[in-house]
Amino acid sequence: MKRTTTMLTAVALATAAGGVSAEEMTIVSWGGAYSKSQLKAYHEPYSEKTGVTILNDDSSAEAVAKLRAMNEAGNITWDVVDVVAADAIRLCDEGLAMEIDPDTQLAPAPDGTPASEDFGDLLVSECFIPQIVYSTTFGYRTDMVGDNPPTDICAVFDLETYPGKRSLEKRPINNMEWALLCDGVSKDEVYDVLATDEGQDRALKKLDTIKDSVVWWSAGADTPQLLADGEVVMGSTYNGRLFSVIEEQKQPVAMLWDAQVFDLDGWIIPAGLSEERKQRALDYIMFATDTQRLADQAKYISYGPARASSAPLVGKHAELGIDMAPHMPTDPENAKNTFLYNYEFWADYRDDIDAKFQAWLAQ
């Protein structure tokens, strides 16, 4: 678990005082460039407004397992947690996340449009407060692909044309879908096929063809670092992380938008908080998901804000001064061939396919 110096100091003070202070809250996210964007857009202005100290925890990749354990132990130490939509659905179904009424517990749009209408179809769970639309896609080293840069997702499986290591996330989500697409399954049939044992085996068999050339990653910052170091020719990660390595770090890296997988990320509030902590968490959520805050996050990272009213407010990068709209996954040029992530499928099948995938990795 990574924690900032501020967090360690605050925890020490809280421990000395005999418990967690009412003026502190622990917010869990993903680390790296993403957490930095939240720090700038949400945490710092909220702390300045309220005096509350925010303790940062980068454990979102393990959020479901850890919240299950906390619930079992009767000791919920997190106040607000950033999760992907499918995990929010699972946590809600298991009673581990609070239900939210968007029209009374979230801010309306500036013109008075209720939050439920402003977020619209992105409210995929009664416990989920959407924050961003992002995509998982591929970056590649421009100096390692010669005069033939990849334009198709199936380049990932083409070791002859693109020799070298590639990085993939150490979980089945997205990898299984891309494998089936590149094994000839049409986009509209992928999840029907993946729902069967035969389909799952077919995806793993396709992944077998590159398994020996894969570096497996767990943290969103891993692929950008592997690309920057020239250790992989291409690799998957979140589009905002690739924006950072390309535009901020000026590395010889480019984006492969083909078959990018759209997904949602947002907040949940754990069930079982004391009334005081619950009200503080709700106050933070009201603040951090209003129209301006969601637009502000796009100043620091290339993720599309989840509110319709925020989109027109997206402007230039706060430090680079470049227009952010063309770097969003939803930009028409980037979204020519997208793959739509099925939240319900992964909420239902995640545990079983995870077990099969991890067993395959160990072979």
Side-chain angles (χ1 to χ4, degrees):
M1 183 183 298
K2 301 175 183 176
R3 301 188 178 192
T4 63
T5 302
T6 301
M7 179 175 182
L8 291 171
T9 303
V11 168
L13 291 172
T15 302
V20 176
S21 164
E23 298 306 312
E24 296 168 358
M25 61 189 304
T26 297
I27 297 182
V28 184
S29 191
W30 301 89
Y34 183 57
S35 285
K36 179 184 176 184
S37 73
Q38 293 176 322
L39 178 73
K40 294 295 186 182
Y42 311 147
H43 301 349
E44 288 181 350
Y46 184 75
S47 292
E48 184 176 348
K49 175 176 179 281
T50 64
V52 171
T53 298
I54 292 176
L55 315 180
N56 297 288
D57 185 321
D58 296 346
S59 299
S60 280
E62 307 164 283
V64 174
K66 290 198 171 188
L67 283 169
R68 285 171 176 166
M70 289 180 192
N71 183 69
E72 185 72 22
N75 182 26
I76 311 298
T77 60
W78 293 346
D79 296 283
V80 180
V81 186
D82 186 305
V83 294
V84 294
D87 283 349
I89 292 170
R90 288 202 292 168
L91 291 166
C92 201
D93 288 347
E94 295 178 27
L96 300 178
M98 275 180 51
E99 292 187 4
I100 300 292
D101 179 356
D103 290 340
T104 61
Q105 294 176 311
L106 302 178
D111 66 358
T113 299
S116 60
E117 294 179 28
D118 206 19
F119 284 107
D121 292 342
L122 303 190
L123 290 167
V124 297
S125 165
E126 293 176 334
C127 304
F128 181 63
I129 307 101
Q131 182 186 161
I132 58 160
V133 178
Y134 73 97
S135 76
T136 303
T137 189
F138 279 82
Y140 61 89
R141 287 282 302 206
T142 56
D143 57 349
M144 294 172 67
V145 297
D147 297 327
N148 187 26
T151 58
D152 184 283
I153 186 64
C154 298
V156 175
F157 295 91
D158 187 352
L159 294 173
E160 183 176 347
T161 306
Y162 303 104
K165 297 287 188 180
R166 43 267 283 143
S167 56
L168 295 174
E169 189 172 6
K170 198 175 183 180
R171 65 176 191 166
I173 292 175
N174 300 330
N175 294 323
M176 303 287 270
E177 290 97 321
W178 286 323
L180 288 178
L181 286 173
C182 294
D183 201 45
V185 178
S186 64
K187 281 201 287 189
D188 61 352
E189 294 180 344
V190 163
Y191 287 109
D192 289 338
V193 173
L194 198 54
T196 67
D197 287 336
E198 295 80 10
Q200 294 159 22
D201 292 341
R202 181 176 174 181
L204 293 174
K205 186 177 180 181
K206 183 67 174 178
L207 288 166
D208 263 329
T209 65
I210 59 170
K211 188 177 183 181
D212 291 343
S213 297
V214 173
V215 177
W216 298 100
W217 62 267
S218 297
D222 292 348
T223 286
Q225 190 62 55
L226 290 166
L227 286 167
D229 293 342
E231 293 186 26
V232 297
V233 63
M234 62 181 70
S236 67
T237 191
Y238 314 120
N239 73 283
R241 304 301 182 102
L242 289 171
F243 171 86
S244 179
V245 80
I246 294 167
E247 298 295 341
E248 296 174 353
Q249 301 174 35
K250 302 299 182 185
Q251 295 291 338
V253 175
M255 300 273 269
L256 175 62
W257 290 103
D258 187 57
Q260 60 164 318
V261 182
F262 275 7
D263 201 353
L264 302 175
D265 208 274
W267 304 111
I268 62 99
I269 297 174
L273 298 182
S274 68
E275 187 62 26
E276 180 183 15
R277 290 175 64 197
K278 182 175 77 172
Q279 292 305 318
R280 184 181 57 202
L282 285 167
D283 186 64
Y284 172 85
I285 289 294
M286 173 82 79
F287 175 87
T289 63
D290 72 16
T291 295
Q292 187 61 56
R293 305 301 160 193
L294 292 184
D296 285 348
Q297 189 179 10
K299 295 178 183 178
Y300 304 98
I301 200 161
S302 57
Y303 297 140
R307 276 184 179 263
S309 62
S310 299
L313 303 182
V314 173
K316 296 183 181 298
H317 190 280
E319 297 163 2
L320 302 179
I322 61 174
D323 185 5
M324 291 299 286
H327 298 281
M328 298 294 171
T330 48
D331 180 79
E333 188 64 26
N334 301 332
K336 288 180 176 178
N337 183 35
T338 61
F339 185 84
L340 301 179
Y341 180 86
N342 189 320
Y343 314 107
E344 300 289 348
F345 175 88
W346 282 110
D348 292 341
Y349 286 87
R350 176 71 183 274
D351 289 340
D352 290 342
I353 297 181
D354 260 345
K356 182 177 284 191
F357 186 81
Q358 297 304 325
W360 170 80
L361 277 179
Q363 292 174 357

